Amino acid sequence: MHLRHPHDGPGHGSAAGAAARRPDGTRRALRLGLGGPVGSGKTATVAALCRELRSELSLAVVTNDIYTREDAEFLLREAVLPPERITAVETGACPHTAIRDDISANLEAVEELEDAVGPLDLILVESGGDNLTATFSRGLVDAQIFVIDVAGGDDIPRKGGPGVTTADLLVVNKTDLAPHVGSDLSRMAADAKAQRGPLPVVFQSLREEAGVAPVAAWVRERLAAWRA
Amino acid sequence: MTRAALLLLADGRFPAGGHAHSGGAEAAVRAGRITDAASLEEFCRGRLHTSGLVAASLAAAAALGADPGELDAAADARTPSPALRAAARRLGRQLLRAGRATWPCGELDLLARRFPKGVHQPVVLGAVARAAGLEPSDAAHCAAYESVGGPATATVRLLGLDPFDATGVLARLAPATDRVAARAVRAAREALTEGVDALPAASAPLLEISAEAHAAGAGRLFAT
Ligand SMILES: Nc1nc2c(ncn2[C@@H]2O[C@H](COP(=O)(O)OP(=O)(O)OP(=O)(O)O)[C@@H](O)[C@H]2O)c(=O)[nH]1
Ligand SMILES: [Mg+2]
């Protein structure tokens, strides 16, 4: 997989957040962020990834909700992971602050998960739905997925913004709805390509057969690169 | 010491987790006790002279070099609400992380090693101020100001309160904030010889009670 930032491999970034080794010398889990506008399917993607990967990997999830525990409670209800592997971070009405400007609570959460249920292979950090400029700090996550959906308007890839243009993976979700909302998928693909150059884009419908498989494959590649 | 270090530590954007807390303002807004700038001012005045004073004296004592373990126990004794005690330790850990990254030093490393579960945030604030080369009165000012700045910022978000009204409230409280900080430093110096019992123990029962209700409730925007 093409890595956009050659410098952001293991060990890059602020000492406290991004050191690749835990204090006891073991390799810490790969941390993936999932961001994107409200209702685009971040939690559904997290849930599907957990179901797909939990038999082969040791997983945990951190959610950043606007109304405290909404997403965490959904994941708990769906029983995608045991409860001790899901932590909700409270964001004071500003998920983008908690995932980018002040990552201290999220760093606490990922470290506590590793201490409590580790060793972990992968921690998924979901941001509450926010605006198109909300991206994760490189001090918190190793790579980030930006999730938009076809129902939010097919001009979002054209509008761009840091999430769409710089995320390591762009997921265009709910393609099953495209005929119903009049979204032009080929135009979305062309716009995304223009904004992102070589960075990958996945079109996904969690309501159809393939489901989360392409995103899961991307995650496995990132994990292989992390361990290499 | 540098003035700019004080500005950095006191800046609401200092990445130490404060943004997720309303200092009881959300519970007060929900209960109808804060509805406008005037009631925000009264709320903040009450908080400043109670938990603000306690926090400021803990911070000043820590900046003077008092034992953090004793200060942490003193903070526990002055914080009846388990939810607030847990939040204070969590915020303490977050501030210590930010402080160690910003002003690396052996004393902060030792604090983290001695108390892996964290100590109350004002105690860390004093230690971080010390690491930044600041004075006890700087630490006390930061704590006192934080005790009113947090609720004011949160109320802007919660009520859509005019932000200029909120800054006006903070400006009107500035002289009282100075007095609280000065009193906190005097108490902290006394505590160095008399022990931590000399620190103020002013409490605000309604803040403690509503913090418990808030922690148990659903659909909140702020952690406390
Ligand atoms: N039709 C369709 N619906 C989907 C798909 N993926 C998710 N949804 C639905 O979209 C709604 C929102 O999904 P969530 O996963 O909660 O979205 P989110 O991005 O986590 O939302 P916030 O956290 O509130 O920002 C839910 O009702 C999902 O069932 C999809 O591929 N197709
Ligand atoms: Mg969600």
Side-chain angles (χ1 to χ4, degrees):
Chain A
M1 181 64 56
H2 172 84
L3 289 179
R4 184 163 174 280
H5 305 287
H7 56 269
D8 65 26
H12 168 75
S14 65
R21 301 263 162 200
R22 311 195 59 232
D24 64 8
T26 55
R27 187 194 303 280
R28 66 161 170 80
L30 177 71
R31 301 174 190 159
L32 291 183
L34 288 98
V38 178
S40 61
K42 297 177 292 298
T43 306
T45 300
V46 167
L49 280 173
C50 289
R51 289 193 187 98
E52 174 92 8
L53 298 171
R54 65 191 173 194
S55 60
E56 61 193 90
L57 298 174
S58 177
L59 293 174
V61 174
V62 176
T63 61
N64 284 266
D65 283 319
I66 302 184
Y67 299 100
T68 5
R69 303 182 45 89
E70 284 277 319
D71 285 340
E73 266 152 26
F74 175 84
L75 296 171
L76 289 170
R77 262 197 319 277
E78 295 285 302
V80 297
L81 289 179
E84 65 274 15
R85 288 174 179 263
I86 301 171
T87 297
V89 166
E90 299 181 280
T91 65
C94 283
H96 60 265
T97 307
I99 63 160
R100 185 188 57 208
D101 308 316
D102 180 353
I103 57 176
S104 56
N106 270 288
L107 289 174
E108 278 265 301
V110 295
E111 288 171 10
E112 277 171 10
L113 281 167
E114 296 217 70
D115 286 342
V117 297
L120 292 168
D121 299 305
L122 176 66
I123 301 179
L124 300 172
V125 184
E126 181 188 344
S127 167
D130 209 304
N131 62 56
L132 293 174
T133 67
T135 50
F136 285 84
S137 164
R138 294 278 167 189
L140 175 61
V141 300
D142 303 297
Q144 51 195 309
I145 302 174
F146 201 70
V147 183
I148 61 174
D149 69 24
V150 303
D154 62 4
D155 51 353
I156 288 185
R158 182 184 53 73
K159 286 183 190 159
V164 165
T165 55
T166 68
D168 300 283
L169 178 67
L170 178 67
V171 174
V172 183
N173 192 31
K174 309 191 192 179
T175 51
D176 56 297
L177 297 181
H180 309 292
V181 297
S183 283
D184 180 344
L185 294 183
S186 56
R187 198 185 118 204
M188 291 182 90
D191 289 342
K193 172 99 192 124
Q195 292 281 2
R196 293 173 54 77
L199 287 172
V201 182
V202 164
F203 283 77
Q204 157 183 293
S205 166
L206 295 175
R207 295 284 152 84
E208 286 168 5
E209 184 63 30
V212 83
V215 175
W218 180 86
V219 171
R220 286 191 192 94
E221 281 179 49
R222 291 304 299 221
L223 203 58
W226 174 247
R227 287 167 167 165
Chain B
M1 80 127 190
T2 99
R3 283 288 99 181
L6 173 58
L7 297 178
L8 176 55
L9 183 58
D11 191 336
R13 290 165 299 187
F14 192 72
H19 69 95
H21 296 261
S22 79
E26 183 170 22
V29 164
R30 287 197 177 188
R33 288 191 286 272
I34 299 178
T35 54
D36 55 12
S39 44
L40 171 65
E41 186 165 339
E42 289 317 298
F43 176 89
C44 286
R45 195 182 303 283
R47 191 160 195 263
L48 174 64
H49 288 283
T50 51
S51 52
L53 173 65
V54 170
S57 53
L58 289 165
L64 279 169
D67 179 67
E70 283 178 27
L71 292 176
D72 192 51
D76 260 351
R78 287 158 176 74
T79 314
S81 154
L84 288 185
R85 287 202 295 270
R89 287 221 168 76
R90 180 167 290 277
L91 281 169
R93 291 199 300 274
Q94 291 179 246
L95 176 58
L96 188 53
R97 178 193 294 277
R100 288 172 77 194
T102 312
W103 293 287
C105 73
E107 209 168 310
L108 294 182
D109 292 345
L110 186 65
L111 188 60
R113 266 204 308 281
R114 233 184 106 190
F115 303 97
K117 298 209 177 304
V119 293
H120 280 248
Q121 191 266 6
V123 181
V124 179
L125 181 60
V128 170
R130 202 174 147 89
L134 295 169
E135 301 292 326
S137 83
D138 296 325
H141 266 98
C142 283
Y145 179 72
E146 219 170 67
S147 76
V148 292
T153 313
T155 302
V156 169
R157 291 195 206 158
L158 288 162
L159 284 182
L161 186 74
D162 184 332
F164 302 128
D165 288 343
T167 48
V169 165
L170 294 176
R172 284 192 294 282
L173 288 170
T177 307
D178 284 348
R179 285 195 297 275
V180 163
R183 200 180 143 195
V185 173
R186 283 197 302 276
R189 290 197 191 286
E190 214 178 298
L192 280 190
T193 50
E194 310 288 308
V196 294
D197 285 353
L199 295 174
S203 78
L206 196 52
L207 279 181
E208 303 281 335
I209 293 166
S210 58
E212 285 299 304
H214 186 71
R220 60 182 182 269
L221 289 178
F222 292 90
T224 62

mmCIF file of all heavy atoms in Angstrom, chain A residues 16-17 66-68 90-94 97-98 101-105 107-108 111-112, chain B residues 13-21 90 93-94 97 101 157 218-223:
data_model
loop_
_atom_site.group_PDB
_atom_site.id
_atom_site.type_symbol
_atom_site.label_atom_id
_atom_site.label_comp_id
_atom_site.label_asym_id
_atom_site.label_seq_id
_atom_site.Cartn_x
_atom_site.Cartn_y
_atom_site.Cartn_z
ATOM 1 N N ALA A 16 5.171 11.325 23.737
ATOM 2 C CA ALA A 16 4.200 10.655 24.593
ATOM 3 C C ALA A 16 3.204 9.864 23.769
ATOM 4 O O ALA A 16 2.794 8.771 24.139
ATOM 5 C CB ALA A 16 3.473 11.676 25.452
ATOM 6 N N GLY A 17 2.809 10.408 22.620
ATOM 7 C CA GLY A 17 1.709 9.793 21.894
ATOM 8 C C GLY A 17 2.131 8.709 20.939
ATOM 9 O O GLY A 17 1.489 7.673 20.844
ATOM 10 N N ILE A 66 -20.398 12.945 20.858
ATOM 11 C CA ILE A 66 -20.844 14.281 21.216
ATOM 12 C C ILE A 66 -21.721 14.153 22.453
ATOM 13 O O ILE A 66 -21.464 14.747 23.487
ATOM 14 C CB ILE A 66 -21.592 14.935 20.047
ATOM 15 C CG1 ILE A 66 -20.663 14.968 18.842
ATOM 16 C CG2 ILE A 66 -22.035 16.336 20.444
ATOM 17 C CD1 ILE A 66 -21.214 15.653 17.639
ATOM 18 N N TYR A 67 -22.773 13.352 22.352
ATOM 19 C CA TYR A 67 -23.541 13.018 23.553
ATOM 20 C C TYR A 67 -22.920 11.781 24.142
ATOM 21 O O TYR A 67 -23.166 10.669 23.684
ATOM 22 C CB TYR A 67 -25.006 12.722 23.222
ATOM 23 C CG TYR A 67 -25.678 13.881 22.622
ATOM 24 C CD1 TYR A 67 -25.869 13.963 21.258
ATOM 25 C CD2 TYR A 67 -26.088 14.930 23.421
ATOM 26 C CE1 TYR A 67 -26.464 15.059 20.701
ATOM 27 C CE2 TYR A 67 -26.679 16.038 22.857
ATOM 28 C CZ TYR A 67 -26.866 16.089 21.502
ATOM 29 O OH TYR A 67 -27.447 17.178 20.938
ATOM 30 N N THR A 68 -22.090 11.989 25.076
ATOM 31 C CA THR A 68 -21.264 10.953 25.674
ATOM 32 C C THR A 68 -21.351 9.568 25.068
ATOM 33 O O THR A 68 -20.743 9.309 24.119
ATOM 34 C CB THR A 68 -21.435 10.919 27.187
ATOM 35 O OG1 THR A 68 -22.448 11.862 27.503
ATOM 36 C CG2 THR A 68 -20.181 11.369 27.845
ATOM 37 N N GLU A 90 -15.157 11.332 26.525
ATOM 38 C CA GLU A 90 -16.112 12.440 26.495
ATOM 39 C C GLU A 90 -15.432 13.675 25.919
ATOM 40 O O GLU A 90 -14.304 13.999 26.284
ATOM 41 C CB GLU A 90 -16.642 12.689 27.901
ATOM 42 C CG GLU A 90 -17.356 11.446 28.413
ATOM 43 C CD GLU A 90 -17.929 11.609 29.797
ATOM 44 O OE1 GLU A 90 -17.172 11.503 30.764
ATOM 45 O OE2 GLU A 90 -19.141 11.838 29.904
ATOM 46 N N THR A 91 -16.138 14.342 25.012
ATOM 47 C CA THR A 91 -15.448 15.352 24.199
ATOM 48 C C THR A 91 -15.890 16.791 24.455
ATOM 49 O O THR A 91 -15.426 17.697 23.785
ATOM 50 C CB THR A 91 -15.660 15.072 22.695
ATOM 51 O OG1 THR A 91 -17.050 15.234 22.392
ATOM 52 C CG2 THR A 91 -15.218 13.672 22.332
ATOM 53 N N GLY A 92 -16.797 17.013 25.395
ATOM 54 C CA GLY A 92 -17.216 18.393 25.644
ATOM 55 C C GLY A 92 -17.770 19.059 24.400
ATOM 56 O O GLY A 92 -17.445 20.200 24.101
ATOM 57 N N ALA A 93 -18.593 18.330 23.655
ATOM 58 C CA ALA A 93 -19.289 18.850 22.484
ATOM 59 C C ALA A 93 -18.374 19.076 21.278
ATOM 60 O O ALA A 93 -18.820 19.586 20.265
ATOM 61 C CB ALA A 93 -20.050 20.146 22.804
ATOM 62 N N CYS A 94 -17.120 18.710 21.380
ATOM 63 C CA CYS A 94 -16.181 18.973 20.283
ATOM 64 C C CYS A 94 -15.306 17.768 19.977
ATOM 65 O O CYS A 94 -14.143 17.724 20.396
ATOM 66 C CB CYS A 94 -15.270 20.143 20.635
ATOM 67 S SG CYS A 94 -16.046 21.717 20.487
ATOM 68 N N THR A 97 -11.791 18.554 18.745
ATOM 69 C CA THR A 97 -10.793 18.958 19.737
ATOM 70 C C THR A 97 -10.149 17.724 20.350
ATOM 71 O O THR A 97 -8.924 17.650 20.490
ATOM 72 C CB THR A 97 -11.441 19.821 20.835
ATOM 73 O OG1 THR A 97 -12.134 20.894 20.212
ATOM 74 C CG2 THR A 97 -10.390 20.386 21.762
ATOM 75 N N ALA A 98 -10.979 16.739 20.683
ATOM 76 C CA ALA A 98 -10.455 15.555 21.375
ATOM 77 C C ALA A 98 -9.598 14.668 20.476
ATOM 78 O O ALA A 98 -8.743 13.938 20.959
ATOM 79 C CB ALA A 98 -11.609 14.750 21.955
ATOM 80 N N ASP A 101 -6.801 18.603 18.578
ATOM 81 C CA ASP A 101 -6.135 19.712 19.264
ATOM 82 C C ASP A 101 -5.673 19.339 20.667
ATOM 83 O O ASP A 101 -4.664 19.834 21.147
ATOM 84 C CB ASP A 101 -7.073 20.918 19.353
ATOM 85 C CG ASP A 101 -7.639 21.265 17.988
ATOM 86 O OD1 ASP A 101 -6.865 21.277 17.027
ATOM 87 O OD2 ASP A 101 -8.860 21.501 17.886
ATOM 88 N N ASP A 102 -6.444 18.503 21.332
ATOM 89 C CA ASP A 102 -6.089 18.077 22.692
ATOM 90 C C ASP A 102 -6.365 16.588 22.807
ATOM 91 O O ASP A 102 -7.460 16.175 23.163
ATOM 92 C CB ASP A 102 -6.893 18.864 23.725
ATOM 93 C CG ASP A 102 -6.552 18.437 25.152
ATOM 94 O OD1 ASP A 102 -5.797 17.455 25.328
ATOM 95 O OD2 ASP A 102 -7.042 19.094 26.093
ATOM 96 N N ILE A 103 -5.348 15.795 22.492
ATOM 97 C CA ILE A 103 -5.543 14.345 22.389
ATOM 98 C C ILE A 103 -5.293 13.632 23.712
ATOM 99 O O ILE A 103 -5.256 12.403 23.760
ATOM 100 C CB ILE A 103 -4.622 13.756 21.305
ATOM 101 C CG1 ILE A 103 -3.151 14.095 21.622
ATOM 102 C CG2 ILE A 103 -4.994 14.291 19.932
ATOM 103 C CD1 ILE A 103 -2.158 13.467 20.637
ATOM 104 N N SER A 104 -5.149 14.401 24.802
ATOM 105 C CA SER A 104 -4.720 13.771 26.059
ATOM 106 C C SER A 104 -5.707 12.706 26.542
ATOM 107 O O SER A 104 -5.295 11.647 27.023
ATOM 108 C CB SER A 104 -4.478 14.837 27.130
ATOM 109 O OG SER A 104 -5.615 15.646 27.325
ATOM 110 N N ALA A 105 -7.003 12.946 26.407
ATOM 111 C CA ALA A 105 -7.974 11.954 26.896
ATOM 112 C C ALA A 105 -7.948 10.695 26.037
ATOM 113 O O ALA A 105 -8.074 9.575 26.545
ATOM 114 C CB ALA A 105 -9.381 12.553 26.907
ATOM 115 N N LEU A 107 -5.317 9.561 24.337
ATOM 116 C CA LEU A 107 -4.088 8.823 24.624
ATOM 117 C C LEU A 107 -4.229 8.024 25.910
ATOM 118 O O LEU A 107 -3.801 6.872 26.000
ATOM 119 C CB LEU A 107 -2.901 9.789 24.712
ATOM 120 C CG LEU A 107 -2.457 10.395 23.381
ATOM 121 C CD1 LEU A 107 -1.374 11.450 23.609
ATOM 122 C CD2 LEU A 107 -1.935 9.312 22.432
ATOM 123 N N GLU A 108 -4.864 8.641 26.910
ATOM 124 C CA GLU A 108 -5.183 7.924 28.145
ATOM 125 C C GLU A 108 -5.975 6.663 27.826
ATOM 126 O O GLU A 108 -5.682 5.582 28.322
ATOM 127 C CB GLU A 108 -6.140 8.780 28.996
ATOM 128 C CG GLU A 108 -5.517 9.832 29.807
ATOM 129 C CD GLU A 108 -5.276 9.329 31.204
ATOM 130 O OE1 GLU A 108 -6.234 8.931 31.872
ATOM 131 O OE2 GLU A 108 -4.109 9.293 31.592
ATOM 132 N N GLU A 111 -4.017 3.878 26.033
ATOM 133 C CA GLU A 111 -3.035 3.253 26.926
ATOM 134 C C GLU A 111 -3.712 2.408 27.995
ATOM 135 O O GLU A 111 -3.241 1.317 28.339
ATOM 136 C CB GLU A 111 -2.140 4.322 27.559
ATOM 137 C CG GLU A 111 -1.170 4.898 26.539
ATOM 138 C CD GLU A 111 -0.406 6.108 27.050
ATOM 139 O OE1 GLU A 111 -0.482 6.392 28.267
ATOM 140 O OE2 GLU A 111 0.250 6.772 26.238
ATOM 141 N N GLU A 112 -4.846 2.885 28.500
ATOM 142 C CA GLU A 112 -5.571 2.101 29.500
ATOM 143 C C GLU A 112 -6.077 0.794 28.903
ATOM 144 O O GLU A 112 -6.050 -0.248 29.556
ATOM 145 C CB GLU A 112 -6.741 2.912 30.069
ATOM 146 C CG GLU A 112 -6.300 3.854 31.174
ATOM 147 C CD GLU A 112 -7.388 4.835 31.602
ATOM 148 O OE1 GLU A 112 -8.563 4.665 31.177
ATOM 149 O OE2 GLU A 112 -7.061 5.771 32.348
ATOM 150 N N ARG B 13 -6.230 26.592 25.466
ATOM 151 C CA ARG B 13 -5.883 25.625 24.414
ATOM 152 C C ARG B 13 -4.745 24.698 24.827
ATOM 153 O O ARG B 13 -4.363 23.827 24.057
ATOM 154 C CB ARG B 13 -5.507 26.373 23.125
ATOM 155 C CG ARG B 13 -6.696 27.042 22.457
ATOM 156 C CD ARG B 13 -6.244 28.048 21.421
ATOM 157 N NE ARG B 13 -5.457 29.105 22.053
ATOM 158 C CZ ARG B 13 -5.024 30.198 21.449
ATOM 159 N NH1 ARG B 13 -5.303 30.389 20.183
ATOM 160 N NH2 ARG B 13 -4.304 31.105 22.088
ATOM 161 N N PHE B 14 -4.183 24.914 26.020
ATOM 162 C CA PHE B 14 -3.141 23.998 26.482
ATOM 163 C C PHE B 14 -3.744 22.589 26.517
ATOM 164 O O PHE B 14 -4.778 22.376 27.146
ATOM 165 C CB PHE B 14 -2.643 24.421 27.869
ATOM 166 C CG PHE B 14 -1.378 23.715 28.283
ATOM 167 C CD1 PHE B 14 -0.174 24.026 27.678
ATOM 168 C CD2 PHE B 14 -1.401 22.726 29.248
ATOM 169 C CE1 PHE B 14 0.999 23.374 28.052
ATOM 170 C CE2 PHE B 14 -0.238 22.065 29.623
ATOM 171 C CZ PHE B 14 0.958 22.390 29.022
ATOM 172 N N PRO B 15 -3.124 21.623 25.813
ATOM 173 C CA PRO B 15 -3.815 20.344 25.586
ATOM 174 C C PRO B 15 -3.793 19.416 26.797
ATOM 175 O O PRO B 15 -3.086 18.423 26.820
ATOM 176 C CB PRO B 15 -3.052 19.742 24.402
ATOM 177 C CG PRO B 15 -1.695 20.355 24.468
ATOM 178 C CD PRO B 15 -1.852 21.712 25.087
ATOM 179 N N ALA B 16 -4.608 19.726 27.775
ATOM 180 C CA ALA B 16 -4.608 18.943 29.008
ATOM 181 C C ALA B 16 -6.011 18.490 29.397
ATOM 182 O O ALA B 16 -6.266 18.165 30.549
ATOM 183 C CB ALA B 16 -3.972 19.749 30.136
ATOM 184 N N GLY B 17 -6.927 18.484 28.439
ATOM 185 C CA GLY B 17 -8.223 17.844 28.665
ATOM 186 C C GLY B 17 -9.336 18.715 29.210
ATOM 187 O O GLY B 17 -10.476 18.270 29.324
ATOM 188 N N GLY B 18 -9.046 19.951 29.553
ATOM 189 C CA GLY B 18 -10.053 20.807 30.175
ATOM 190 C C GLY B 18 -11.291 21.058 29.318
ATOM 191 O O GLY B 18 -12.385 21.275 29.850
ATOM 192 N N HIS B 19 -11.118 20.966 28.017
ATOM 193 C CA HIS B 19 -12.232 21.311 27.120
ATOM 194 C C HIS B 19 -13.442 20.406 27.278
ATOM 195 O O HIS B 19 -14.548 20.778 26.878
ATOM 196 C CB HIS B 19 -11.760 21.269 25.662
ATOM 197 C CG HIS B 19 -11.465 19.872 25.188
ATOM 198 N ND1 HIS B 19 -12.390 19.106 24.520
ATOM 199 C CD2 HIS B 19 -10.372 19.099 25.336
ATOM 200 C CE1 HIS B 19 -11.856 17.927 24.268
ATOM 201 N NE2 HIS B 19 -10.639 17.893 24.752
ATOM 202 N N ALA B 20 -13.238 19.217 27.847
ATOM 203 C CA ALA B 20 -14.367 18.277 27.973
ATOM 204 C C ALA B 20 -15.127 18.473 29.287
ATOM 205 O O ALA B 20 -16.043 17.719 29.579
ATOM 206 C CB ALA B 20 -13.860 16.840 27.862
ATOM 207 N N HIS B 21 -14.759 19.486 30.059
ATOM 208 C CA HIS B 21 -15.373 19.685 31.377
ATOM 209 C C HIS B 21 -16.007 21.073 31.475
ATOM 210 O O HIS B 21 -15.481 22.032 30.939
ATOM 211 C CB HIS B 21 -14.314 19.516 32.461
ATOM 212 C CG HIS B 21 -13.755 18.117 32.500
ATOM 213 N ND1 HIS B 21 -14.189 17.181 33.397
ATOM 214 C CD2 HIS B 21 -12.849 17.496 31.700
ATOM 215 C CE1 HIS B 21 -13.554 16.029 33.172
ATOM 216 N NE2 HIS B 21 -12.735 16.197 32.142
ATOM 217 N N ARG B 90 -8.168 12.063 36.717
ATOM 218 C CA ARG B 90 -8.020 11.891 35.268
ATOM 219 C C ARG B 90 -7.412 13.156 34.655
ATOM 220 O O ARG B 90 -6.473 13.097 33.872
ATOM 221 C CB ARG B 90 -9.397 11.589 34.653
ATOM 222 C CG ARG B 90 -9.384 11.379 33.153
ATOM 223 C CD ARG B 90 -10.688 10.771 32.685
ATOM 224 N NE ARG B 90 -10.851 9.391 33.103
ATOM 225 C CZ ARG B 90 -10.323 8.349 32.465
ATOM 226 N NH1 ARG B 90 -9.595 8.539 31.385
ATOM 227 N NH2 ARG B 90 -10.508 7.126 32.905
ATOM 228 N N ARG B 93 -3.805 13.340 35.387
ATOM 229 C CA ARG B 93 -2.963 12.522 34.497
ATOM 230 C C ARG B 93 -2.792 13.210 33.142
ATOM 231 O O ARG B 93 -1.714 13.214 32.557
ATOM 232 C CB ARG B 93 -3.601 11.144 34.283
ATOM 233 C CG ARG B 93 -3.584 10.259 35.514
ATOM 234 C CD ARG B 93 -3.797 8.799 35.141
ATOM 235 N NE ARG B 93 -5.063 8.529 34.467
ATOM 236 C CZ ARG B 93 -6.212 8.289 35.091
ATOM 237 N NH1 ARG B 93 -6.272 8.306 36.407
ATOM 238 N NH2 ARG B 93 -7.314 8.033 34.408
ATOM 239 N N GLN B 94 -3.890 13.786 32.639
ATOM 240 C CA GLN B 94 -3.813 14.449 31.334
ATOM 241 C C GLN B 94 -2.874 15.654 31.390
ATOM 242 O O GLN B 94 -2.080 15.878 30.482
ATOM 243 C CB GLN B 94 -5.220 14.849 30.868
ATOM 244 C CG GLN B 94 -6.070 13.638 30.525
ATOM 245 C CD GLN B 94 -7.480 14.019 30.082
ATOM 246 O OE1 GLN B 94 -8.462 13.720 30.742
ATOM 247 N NE2 GLN B 94 -7.586 14.680 28.949
ATOM 248 N N ARG B 97 0.737 14.513 31.554
ATOM 249 C CA ARG B 97 1.224 14.109 30.234
ATOM 250 C C ARG B 97 1.636 15.342 29.425
ATOM 251 O O ARG B 97 2.737 15.388 28.859
ATOM 252 C CB ARG B 97 0.122 13.352 29.491
ATOM 253 C CG ARG B 97 0.505 12.926 28.085
ATOM 254 C CD ARG B 97 -0.720 12.474 27.310
ATOM 255 N NE ARG B 97 -1.325 11.272 27.849
ATOM 256 C CZ ARG B 97 -0.909 10.032 27.588
ATOM 257 N NH1 ARG B 97 0.108 9.834 26.780
ATOM 258 N NH2 ARG B 97 -1.516 8.998 28.125
ATOM 259 N N ALA B 101 5.596 16.596 28.498
ATOM 260 C CA ALA B 101 6.016 16.776 27.111
ATOM 261 C C ALA B 101 6.470 18.222 26.867
ATOM 262 O O ALA B 101 7.344 18.472 26.046
ATOM 263 C CB ALA B 101 4.875 16.400 26.163
ATOM 264 N N ARG B 157 -21.117 27.535 24.946
ATOM 265 C CA ARG B 157 -21.530 26.420 24.090
ATOM 266 C C ARG B 157 -22.919 25.908 24.447
ATOM 267 O O ARG B 157 -23.684 25.521 23.572
ATOM 268 C CB ARG B 157 -20.548 25.264 24.228
ATOM 269 C CG ARG B 157 -19.188 25.571 23.639
ATOM 270 C CD ARG B 157 -18.421 24.282 23.478
ATOM 271 N NE ARG B 157 -16.988 24.529 23.510
ATOM 272 C CZ ARG B 157 -16.088 23.608 23.801
ATOM 273 N NH1 ARG B 157 -16.466 22.378 24.082
ATOM 274 N NH2 ARG B 157 -14.822 23.893 23.802
ATOM 275 N N ALA B 218 -27.774 10.768 31.429
ATOM 276 C CA ALA B 218 -27.449 10.447 30.036
ATOM 277 C C ALA B 218 -27.510 11.712 29.176
ATOM 278 O O ALA B 218 -28.106 12.713 29.575
ATOM 279 C CB ALA B 218 -28.434 9.417 29.506
ATOM 280 N N GLY B 219 -26.877 11.625 28.025
ATOM 281 C CA GLY B 219 -27.016 12.684 27.027
ATOM 282 C C GLY B 219 -26.336 13.986 27.381
ATOM 283 O O GLY B 219 -26.722 15.053 26.920
ATOM 284 N N ARG B 220 -25.280 13.895 28.208
ATOM 285 C CA ARG B 220 -24.590 15.147 28.541
ATOM 286 C C ARG B 220 -23.532 15.479 27.489
ATOM 287 O O ARG B 220 -23.054 14.604 26.775
ATOM 288 C CB ARG B 220 -23.962 15.031 29.921
ATOM 289 C CG ARG B 220 -22.943 13.917 30.016
ATOM 290 C CD ARG B 220 -22.382 13.799 31.424
ATOM 291 N NE ARG B 220 -21.376 12.753 31.452
ATOM 292 C CZ ARG B 220 -21.639 11.480 31.742
ATOM 293 N NH1 ARG B 220 -22.874 11.115 32.017
ATOM 294 N NH2 ARG B 220 -20.687 10.583 31.728
ATOM 295 N N LEU B 221 -23.180 16.757 27.424
ATOM 296 C CA LEU B 221 -22.137 17.185 26.490
ATOM 297 C C LEU B 221 -20.769 17.191 27.169
ATOM 298 O O LEU B 221 -19.755 16.950 26.520
ATOM 299 C CB LEU B 221 -22.432 18.586 25.967
ATOM 300 C CG LEU B 221 -23.613 18.717 24.998
ATOM 301 C CD1 LEU B 221 -23.799 20.183 24.609
ATOM 302 C CD2 LEU B 221 -23.393 17.882 23.755
ATOM 303 N N PHE B 222 -20.747 17.504 28.445
ATOM 304 C CA PHE B 222 -19.477 17.619 29.174
ATOM 305 C C PHE B 222 -19.347 16.506 30.203
ATOM 306 O O PHE B 222 -20.342 16.058 30.764
ATOM 307 C CB PHE B 222 -19.383 18.982 29.873
ATOM 308 C CG PHE B 222 -19.256 20.128 28.909
ATOM 309 C CD1 PHE B 222 -20.386 20.764 28.414
ATOM 310 C CD2 PHE B 222 -18.011 20.553 28.470
ATOM 311 C CE1 PHE B 222 -20.281 21.800 27.508
ATOM 312 C CE2 PHE B 222 -17.897 21.597 27.567
ATOM 313 C CZ PHE B 222 -19.028 22.219 27.080
ATOM 314 N N ALA B 223 -18.102 16.098 30.457
ATOM 315 C CA ALA B 223 -17.861 15.003 31.395
ATOM 316 C C ALA B 223 -18.243 15.399 32.818
ATOM 317 O O ALA B 223 -18.776 14.587 33.568
ATOM 318 C CB ALA B 223 -16.394 14.590 31.345
#
